[in-house]
């Protein structure tokens, strides 16, 4: 067969078989967030889909559409996939999950177990396991209906809130689907998922575009607590201080801020704040007899951003005293976190992994009873080293003579 | 052993061509001229016919002068006639070489004797005057060619900001002079061939002895001598005859109308083929990366040049792939886009009636039509097309909801990127391949683009230009040649010529030292 004939055959193959999985952009319904609720033994899947025409930029500049940028609807069925499939009854477009930013799990679903959700995300190709996971103490469908001013896409906004919060504060560290799957199947079997709540008087003001016309809304979507999972089930909650302590223990802090009282007598309410630029935690399990001690070496470096202390910051002795105060604060958070760990019997810092790696034989004996017995008996040996790298532009408190 | 492969097929083709030789216009060109004036005149009359510009002027009954009006210089012609009339008496008396005698009495160079009808005709048709003397065998040709020709102007197709502003003209002797002015070396060789049975076009092969690869030269002469065609009106004819591979969109020869570019190329050991009647001179052998080099690259600072070359390569990829990547990503691999970009693209595609592939094809074809119209139409109507083009391609199409705004951006950026390449040949190749890639992308997505790009790469790597692999110095990799490809190193570091092209005399300059002169003096 000549080259020319071969070319024709190839061209014919192209024409005959081509375009089989082609989807034009105006035929897909891009989901920005998905919610999973459980009711009466059925999955209720809520989809927050983007309405592109509302996002179109008009010729005069600025958002052109007047309608809402997202459309939310829910479907109910025995399995998640079937529920999604049932959405074809009401949705004109093909669901498209690659740009799903965040999934929200309702409380009932979380208490019954989330293995099915994780299975779905890991099994199929179109849904990404790098999606952020959120928990809500109410129904996920309620959260997804709410807008987050000034963002037009709440799903994207939620992902941004999580990402920024994790990078800048570390109070409630965000978790992605694959991290969640890894954590609940690890030795520690525990994971923490940030909770999103609607604060306020329980009205529905966030569900309307009118919220963009106001300067302040009585309701707000907000990260509030950390939901603690053991296995695939929700077992309890932690407040942000406890969660922050866990973040210190598990080396999750990237940047954060800590306020501390001034060295010396504690009578006055003089506080300063320390902006952490770098933090590192090193965990070493040490076995003494039958007891385990976790040695935590925490290092934090940063700058002084605010102060009302009367000392001289150019004096190394004084800054050292301030550093000690910072160290106390960090230690305090760690202790609060550790108490929460013991209260919930959930190994959020992942100490089980360290023990397993260093003492594999001992681990084999106690892995069944780790949370109930051994975890509670572990002693913490925390060494915090904080360092003020520079005190800012001046070395004394502003207007120190005037005080 | 030759580095060139020639298939049996081409040998066969050449044989058929030789068999067709009889079909040409020449009949008895080899016939010798008689010594009779009237015989010679009647032969000329019968061969050239009753063309009104063909003039035979008899000076008395012994001497005739014949020329074509318009091809000869009037001033020199009158000088010649004056000299002939004054020396009339002597002509009848002498018997030895009349050409030598004529040389001594007229102040014009280029006087030769012609013995056959063929030589005589060629001389007349290329603007020489022919002097026929009764009683002497043969005739004398006097080169007084002149007439209207274009002066040396700035090249219109390859402009530079910095660099010489002169360009080649249609006159081959002027062009060679321009080149001689730049290369004042006795090693500059100019070998002439005449190709084209009807056009009798002068083709000059120009190279520098000792730099050009003799194997390339031999092969070039073999290929040039194999050409037997009726006409050569432009160097494009020659290019298509002598190129290594016919079925390839990629050019294996560069054409330029800049003498400085040719001079630079000759100094790298390349060979130039100049064709009379066109300002475009061919350069061979070339590599792929030569098409991204402008002569200005060597006049500007090396860092700026390197940056510009990277920009050109980038534009090459943009011009080749951008529309197809846009099609693939928006119809198959949407997950590759950032969310916000995807949403803004989706918003623009709301309500557009055509699928992305058709939309892209429509816009690309519209652009090609407008571009072609811009080249072909009379200059006076120029502004009209740009207005219509801008309106049709841009605003109106988007406002009417026929195409999305992003597609207009993609198509216009592609169009502009394809004009960045200094050599128009390569830009045309890219345009052609782009459509194929767009179809593949519309059918198979990114996989289709890859399925198109890999064979293209294979093809490019397999090409060769007169024995030099097309993709050198990258495939085969030659480190020393990389200094003048994607980047250009400073002149002081360009110590050797590209080894893929120049096989002898590789050293270009000695190690540069600011105190070279002083140390010599010590």
């Amino acid at each position: 067969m000549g080259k020319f004939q071969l070319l024709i055959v190839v061209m014919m193959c192209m024409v005959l078989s081509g375009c089989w999985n082609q989807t034009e952009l105006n035929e897909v319904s891009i989901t920005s967030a998905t919610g999973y609720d459980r009711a009466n033994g059925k999955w209720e899947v809520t989809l927050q889909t983007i309405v592109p025409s509302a996002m179109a930029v008009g010729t005069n500049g600025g958002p052109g559409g007047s309608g809402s940028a997202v459309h939310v609807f829910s479907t109910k069925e025995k399995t998640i996939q079937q529920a999604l499939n049932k959405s074809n009854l009401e949705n004109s477009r093909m669901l498209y999950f690659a740009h799903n930013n965040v999934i929200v799990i309702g409380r009932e679903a979380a208490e019954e177990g989330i293995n099915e959700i994780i299975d779905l995300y890991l099994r199929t190709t179109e849904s990404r396991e790098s999606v952020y996971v959120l928990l809500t103490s109410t129904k996920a469908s309620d959260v997804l209906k709410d807008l987050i001013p000034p963002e037009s896409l709440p799903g994207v906004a939620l992902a941004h809130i999580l990402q920024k919060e994790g990078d800048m504060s570390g109070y409630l560290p965000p978790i992605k689907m694959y991290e969640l799957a890894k954590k609940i199947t690890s030795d520690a079997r525990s994971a923490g998922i940030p909770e999103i709540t609607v604060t306020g008087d329980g009205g529905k003001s966030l569900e309307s575009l009118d919220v963009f016309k106001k300067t302040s809304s009585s309701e707000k979507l907000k990260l509030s607590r950390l939901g603690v999972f053991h296995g695939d089930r929700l077992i309890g909650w932690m407040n942000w201080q406890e969660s922050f302590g866990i973040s210190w223990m598990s080396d999750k802090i990237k940047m954060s801020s800590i306020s501390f009282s001034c060295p010396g007598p504690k009578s006055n309410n003089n506080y300063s704040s320390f902006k952490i630029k770098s933090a590192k935690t090193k965990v070493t399990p040490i076995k003494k007899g039958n007891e385990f001690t976790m040695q935590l070496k925490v290092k934090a470096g940063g700058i002084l951003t605010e102060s009302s202390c009367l000392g001289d910051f150019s004096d190394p002795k004084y800054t050292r005293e301030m550093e000690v105060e910072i160290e106390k604060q960090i230690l305090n958070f760690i202790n609060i976190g550790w108490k929460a760990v013991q209260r919930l019997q959930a190994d959020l810092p992942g100490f089980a992994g360290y023990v397993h790696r260093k003492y594999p034989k001992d681990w084999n004996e106690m892995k069944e009873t780790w949370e109930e017995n051994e975890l509670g008996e572990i002693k913490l040996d925390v060494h915090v080293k904080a360092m003020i790298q520079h005190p800012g532009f001046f070395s004394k408190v502003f207007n120190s003579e005037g005080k | 052993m030759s580095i060139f492969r020639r298939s049996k097929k081409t040998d066969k083709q050449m044989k058929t061509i030789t068999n067709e030789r009889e079909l040409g216009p020449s009949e008895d060109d080899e016939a010798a001229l008689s010594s009779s004036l009237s015989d010679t005149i009647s032969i000329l009359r019968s061969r050239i016919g009753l063309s009104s510009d063909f003039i035979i002027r008899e000076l008395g009954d012994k001497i005739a002068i014949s020329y074509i009006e318009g091809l000869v210089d009037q001033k020199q012609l009158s000088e010649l006639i004056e000299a002939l009339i004054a020396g009339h008496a002597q002509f009848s008396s002498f018997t030895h070489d009349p050409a030598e005698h004529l040389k001594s009495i007229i102040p014009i160079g280029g006087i030769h004797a012609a013995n056959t009808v063929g030589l005589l005709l060629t001389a007349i048709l290329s603007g020489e005057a022919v002097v026929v003397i009764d009683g002497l065998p043969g005739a004398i040709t006097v080169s007084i060619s002149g007439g209207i020709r274009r002066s040396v102007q700035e090249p219109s197709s390859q402009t530079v900001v910095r660099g010489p502003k002169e360009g080649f003209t249609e006159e081959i002797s002027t062009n060679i002079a321009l080149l001689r002015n730049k290369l004042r070396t006795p090693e500059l060789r100019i070998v002439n061939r005449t190709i084209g049975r009807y056009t009798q076009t002068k083709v000059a092969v120009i190279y520098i002895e000792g730099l050009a690869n003799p194997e390339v030269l031999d092969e070039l002469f073999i290929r040039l001598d194999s050409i037997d065609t009726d006409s050569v009106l432009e160097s494009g004819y020659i290019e298509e005859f002598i190129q290594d591979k016919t079925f390839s969109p990629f050019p294996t020869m560069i054409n330029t109308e800049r003498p400085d570019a040719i001079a630079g190329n000759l100094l790298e050991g390349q060979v130039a083929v100049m064709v009379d009647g066109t300002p475009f001179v061919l350069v061979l052998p070339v590599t792929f990366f030569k098409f991204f080099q402008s002569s200005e690259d060597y006049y500007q600072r090396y860092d700026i040049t390197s940056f510009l070359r990277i920009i050109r390569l980038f534009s090459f990829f943009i011009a080749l792939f951008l529309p197809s990547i846009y099609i693939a990503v928006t119809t198959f691999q949407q997950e590759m886009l950032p969310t916000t970009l995807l949403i803004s693209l989706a918003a623009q595609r709301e309500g557009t009636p055509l699928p992305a592939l058709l939309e892209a094809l429509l816009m690309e074809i519209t652009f090609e039509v407008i571009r072609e119209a811009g080249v072909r139409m009379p200059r006076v109507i120029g502004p009209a097309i740009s207005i219509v083009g801008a309106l049709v391609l841009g605003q109106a199409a988007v406002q009417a909801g026929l195409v999305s705004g992003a597609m207009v951006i993609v198509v216009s950026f592609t169009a502009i990127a394809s004009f960045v390449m200094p050599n128009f040949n390569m830009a045309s190749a890219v345009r052609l391949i782009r459509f194929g890639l767009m179809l593949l992308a519309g059918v198979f997505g990114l996989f289709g683009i890859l399925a198109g790009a890999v064979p293209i790469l294979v093809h490019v790597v397999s090409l060769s230009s007169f024995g030099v692999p097309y993709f050198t110095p990258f495939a085969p990799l030659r480190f020393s040649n990389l200094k003048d490809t994607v980047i250009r190193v400073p002149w002081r570091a360009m110590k050797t010529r590209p080894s893929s092209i120049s096989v002898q005399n590789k050293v270009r300059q000695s190690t540069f030292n600011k105190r070279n002169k002083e140390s010599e003096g010590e």
Side-chain angles (χ1 to χ4, degrees):
Chain A
M1 191 158 53
K3 270 184 192 168
F4 192 66
Q5 283 99 317
L6 195 74
L7 194 75
I8 287 180
V9 168
V10 170
M11 297 258 280
M12 272 161 67
C13 288
M14 267 172 63
V15 174
L16 291 175
S17 69
C19 309
W20 59 276
N21 64 348
Q22 181 206 27
T23 38
E24 292 292 333
L25 274 183
N26 43 12
E27 291 163 4
V28 292
S29 159
I30 306 161
T31 38
S32 64
T34 328
Y36 297 97
D37 283 308
R38 199 84 172 133
N40 310 324
K42 281 186 172 179
W43 284 101
E44 183 183 347
V45 182
T46 309
L47 298 159
Q48 189 187 69
T49 60
I50 296 171
V51 183
S53 54
M55 300 285 292
V57 177
T59 42
N60 51 351
S66 54
S68 164
V70 289
H71 176 67
V72 182
F73 60 93
S74 305
T75 47
K76 242 187 242 181
E77 203 42 70
K78 279 197 269 322
T79 61
I80 297 171
Q81 196 56 54
Q82 203 182 350
L84 289 174
N85 210 11
K86 261 183 90 180
S87 73
N88 287 330
L89 296 176
E90 52 183 301
N91 187 21
S92 61
R93 297 183 174 192
M94 209 183 87
L95 288 172
Y96 184 64
F97 287 98
H99 284 270
N100 196 4
N101 293 286
V102 63
I103 72 163
V104 182
I105 299 169
R107 183 179 187 143
E108 274 188 55
E111 279 169 353
E112 281 188 39
I114 55 168
N115 271 348
E116 263 186 271
I117 303 173
I118 299 176
D119 182 275
L120 177 83
Y121 269 80
L122 296 181
R123 195 177 296 280
T124 55
T125 49
E126 62 178 42
S127 45
R128 296 187 179 184
E129 48 270 28
S130 61
V131 62
Y132 283 113
V133 184
L134 273 176
L135 204 61
T136 178
S137 55
T138 53
K139 281 190 71 180
S141 57
D142 294 338
V143 172
L144 291 190
K145 280 176 201 156
D146 291 345
L147 292 168
I148 304 176
E151 305 286 342
S152 48
L153 301 172
V156 179
L158 281 178
H160 283 173
I161 289 176
L162 281 168
Q163 198 182 355
K164 181 172 61 69
E165 194 273 331
D167 287 347
M168 307 292 289
S169 346
Y171 299 144
L172 301 167
I175 189 163
K176 293 183 169 180
M177 183 55 91
Y178 71 94
E179 292 170 331
L180 177 66
K182 249 163 69 178
K183 278 198 172 169
I184 63 175
T185 51
S186 71
D187 294 329
R189 286 178 288 225
S190 304
I193 302 178
E195 182 206 26
I196 186 110
T197 38
V198 190
T199 62
D201 47 19
K204 301 263 180 193
S205 68
L206 285 177
E207 292 182 18
S208 152
L209 274 184
D210 290 341
V211 73
F212 284 105
K213 292 180 184 150
K214 294 191 280 184
T215 54
S216 163
S217 163
S218 56
E219 292 169 317
K220 251 188 179 62
L221 276 184
K222 189 172 175 181
L223 296 179
S224 49
R225 294 182 291 176
L226 190 77
V228 180
F229 275 69
H230 182 250
D232 73 327
R233 265 162 238 269
L234 178 69
I235 54 163
W237 302 90
M238 281 188 187
N239 61 24
W240 75 264
Q241 286 102 333
E242 292 165 337
S243 168
F244 193 41
I246 306 282
S247 295
W248 276 108
M249 285 191 260
S250 49
D251 197 19
K252 280 270 176 65
I253 304 288
K254 289 173 190 161
M255 269 165 97
S256 195
S257 181
I258 279 184
S259 50
F260 59 97
S261 56
C262 293
K266 298 277 184 270
S267 57
N268 48 5
N269 278 334
N270 284 354
Y271 283 99
S272 296
S273 60
F274 174 62
K275 189 174 182 187
I276 296 161
K277 294 269 192 183
S278 64
K280 183 85 199 146
T281 306
K282 211 180 156 200
V283 183
T284 327
I286 295 166
K287 189 185 172 191
K288 271 187 198 150
N290 272 335
E291 284 204 336
F292 281 97
T293 307
M294 302 303 289
Q295 191 187 54
L296 298 173
K297 280 186 179 163
V298 182
K299 264 189 193 171
I303 56 174
L304 201 63
T305 49
E306 180 190 342
S307 180
S308 53
C309 301
L310 297 169
D312 180 8
F313 306 150
S314 61
D315 179 10
K317 242 186 247 167
Y318 189 73
T319 49
R320 181 64 214 139
E321 283 173 37
M322 292 172 91
E323 283 167 3
V324 170
E325 290 295 327
I326 298 167
E327 286 161 8
K328 276 186 201 159
Q329 282 299 317
I330 295 174
L331 185 63
N332 187 32
F333 277 119
I334 292 178
N335 284 334
I336 293 172
W338 182 237
K339 276 192 193 116
V341 167
Q342 286 174 322
R343 168 169 58 88
L344 293 168
Q345 295 189 336
D347 185 6
L348 280 188
F351 288 160
Y354 294 104
V355 175
H356 187 177
R357 256 169 277 158
K358 197 160 179 194
Y359 304 104
K361 279 181 192 158
D362 298 289
W363 171 253
N364 277 338
E365 286 163 23
M366 61 192 183
K367 65 180 175 188
E368 300 301 325
T369 55
W370 170 253
E371 283 92 356
E372 290 87 48
N373 303 331
E374 284 83 357
L375 187 63
E377 286 158 19
I378 281 180
K379 295 265 177 331
L380 278 196
D381 175 21
V382 188
H383 306 269
V384 188
K385 175 88 186 75
M387 205 167 90
I388 299 176
Q389 281 151 350
H390 72 87
F393 283 137
F394 45 97
S395 56
K396 278 186 178 163
V397 69
F398 174 68
N399 201 2
S400 52
E401 274 78 33
K403 282 222 165 175
Chain B
M1 197 189 81
S2 169
I3 45 171
F4 305 100
R5 275 176 293 158
R6 208 181 305 116
S7 66
K8 278 181 184 170
K9 209 175 173 184
T10 40
D11 282 338
K12 218 187 279 170
Q13 276 171 349
M14 267 191 276
K15 241 176 237 167
T16 28
I17 286 168
T18 13
N19 291 340
E20 284 162 7
R21 201 176 267 278
E22 293 87 52
L23 297 173
S26 50
E27 290 149 21
D28 39 15
D29 282 355
E30 303 301 317
L33 289 163
S34 75
S35 57
S36 154
L37 176 66
S38 53
D39 279 3
T40 313
I41 287 175
S42 64
I43 288 171
L44 285 178
R45 273 264 177 252
S46 67
R47 288 301 299 273
I48 297 183
L50 287 169
S51 305
S52 61
D53 60 342
F54 175 60
I55 291 171
I56 296 176
R57 191 165 161 185
E58 289 177 49
L59 309 169
D61 52 358
K62 285 271 181 187
I63 298 180
I65 179 165
S66 160
Y67 57 90
I68 290 189
E69 197 180 14
L71 289 188
V72 295
D73 185 46
Q74 286 298 329
K75 199 166 155 255
Q76 286 186 323
L77 179 70
S78 55
E79 270 176 38
L80 173 66
I81 292 173
E82 268 174 37
L84 286 175
I85 294 171
H88 188 263
Q90 285 106 311
F91 276 115
S92 47
S93 57
F94 68 78
T95 46
H96 67 281
D97 194 357
E100 283 303 318
H101 181 69
L102 204 58
K103 268 182 203 167
S104 65
I105 61 164
I106 43 175
I108 299 170
I111 296 175
H112 301 285
N115 303 320
T116 62
V117 180
L119 281 175
L120 207 57
L121 286 171
T122 313
I124 290 174
L125 294 172
S126 51
E128 290 176 38
V130 167
V131 179
V132 189
I133 300 165
D134 192 32
L136 295 174
I140 306 156
T141 63
V142 184
S143 175
I144 53 169
S145 57
I148 306 153
R149 57 188 61 156
R150 196 162 64 97
S151 61
V152 174
Q153 284 166 335
E154 194 179 344
S156 58
S157 71
Q158 287 153 329
T159 49
V160 292
V161 178
R162 179 174 178 178
K165 303 277 184 189
E166 60 187 11
F168 285 128
T169 67
E170 283 74 15
E171 181 69 27
I172 194 165
S173 54
T174 316
N175 294 351
I176 291 172
L178 285 172
L179 211 53
R180 278 276 184 203
N181 265 333
K182 297 209 178 289
L183 298 166
R184 294 190 179 138
T185 164
E187 268 80 47
L188 183 69
R189 298 280 184 272
I190 293 152
V191 181
N192 274 340
R193 289 285 190 275
T194 305
I195 303 175
R197 258 182 263 153
Y198 283 95
T199 57
Q200 295 290 315
T201 312
K202 264 190 241 167
V203 174
V205 174
I206 305 169
Y207 60 97
I208 294 177
E209 184 75 55
L211 293 186
N213 186 347
E215 264 189 89
V216 170
L217 279 172
D218 288 345
E219 179 67 21
L220 173 63
F221 284 124
I222 290 171
R223 291 189 195 178
L224 279 179
D225 292 340
S226 316
I227 301 175
D228 181 25
T229 176
D230 62 341
S231 61
V232 175
L233 296 178
E234 216 274 340
S235 50
Y237 287 50
I238 303 283
E239 183 179 349
E240 282 200 19
F241 274 118
I242 63 175
Q243 69 191 352
D244 290 55
K245 208 167 195 165
T246 309
F247 293 105
S248 169
F250 292 98
T252 46
M253 264 164 264
I254 280 183
N255 60 69
T256 176
E257 47 175 334
R258 301 189 57 83
D260 54 326
I262 297 287
N265 287 325
L266 292 184
L267 287 169
E268 283 185 1
Q270 279 157 298
V271 181
V273 178
M274 209 179 257
V275 176
D276 196 16
T278 176
F280 291 96
V281 179
L282 301 175
V283 178
L284 56 101
V286 292
T287 60
F288 180 74
F289 292 93
K290 282 267 172 208
F291 289 91
F292 298 93
Q293 300 174 1
S294 151
S295 57
E296 198 176 359
D297 287 3
Y298 301 97
Y299 313 145
Q300 269 175 342
R301 289 182 51 80
Y302 68 95
D303 42 5
I304 296 164
T305 297
S306 304
F307 171 69
L308 290 178
R309 283 195 180 165
I310 292 166
I311 290 281
R312 284 181 206 142
L313 274 173
F314 174 72
S315 324
F316 172 78
F317 285 108
I318 290 290
L320 195 57
F321 290 117
L322 187 64
S324 38
I325 287 178
Y326 179 81
I327 294 169
V329 165
T330 55
T331 53
F332 290 91
Q333 277 87 10
Q334 288 102 339
E335 51 270 25
M336 290 200 47
L337 292 170
T339 310
T340 38
L341 179 60
L342 178 77
I343 293 165
S344 91
L345 289 180
Q348 292 177 34
R349 276 206 59 78
E350 282 298 307
T352 49
L354 299 173
L357 172 65
L358 272 184
E359 198 178 305
L361 281 176
L362 182 81
M363 290 301 282
E364 284 289 345
I365 288 169
T366 314
F367 166 71
E368 290 297 327
V369 169
I370 288 174
R371 192 199 65 82
E372 188 62 15
V375 176
R376 302 291 156 233
M377 78 191 164
R379 293 262 177 275
V380 197
I381 327 173
I385 213 89
S386 51
I387 292 167
V388 171
L391 283 179
V392 168
L393 259 180
Q395 233 181 337
V398 177
Q399 275 181 352
L402 287 177
V403 289
S404 60
M407 185 59 85
V408 175
I409 296 170
V410 165
V411 170
S412 13
F413 187 40
T414 311
I416 291 168
S418 68
F419 291 130
V420 170
M421 274 162 272
N423 211 288
F424 203 66
N425 276 3
M426 187 54 89
S428 315
V430 165
R431 282 217 307 275
L432 210 58
I433 298 168
R434 182 162 69 216
F435 282 98
L437 284 176
M438 274 159 65
L439 282 176
L440 279 171
V443 175
F444 296 118
L446 286 179
F447 172 74
I449 295 179
L450 204 65
V454 170
I456 290 170
L457 188 67
V458 168
H459 171 72
V460 167
V461 171
S462 75
L463 276 179
S464 70
S465 171
F466 283 83
V468 176
Y470 200 49
F471 223 61
T472 39
F474 286 94
L477 187 64
R478 292 186 186 186
F479 271 110
S480 67
N481 294 5
L482 291 176
K483 60 185 181 291
D484 189 18
T485 48
V486 178
I487 54 152
R488 174 175 86 76
V489 295
W491 265 114
R492 60 163 72 183
M494 281 218 243
K495 283 184 199 143
T496 53
R497 294 173 220 284
S499 64
S500 52
I501 289 167
S502 113
V503 288
Q504 39 183 349
N505 191 1
K506 282 182 186 151
V507 180
R508 186 165 216 159
Q509 60 196 10
S510 60
T511 308
F512 177 75
N513 182 346
K514 278 178 191 143
R515 310 244 177 272
N516 259 359
K517 281 279 178 210
E518 281 173 35
S519 55
E520 269 172 30
E522 274 165 19

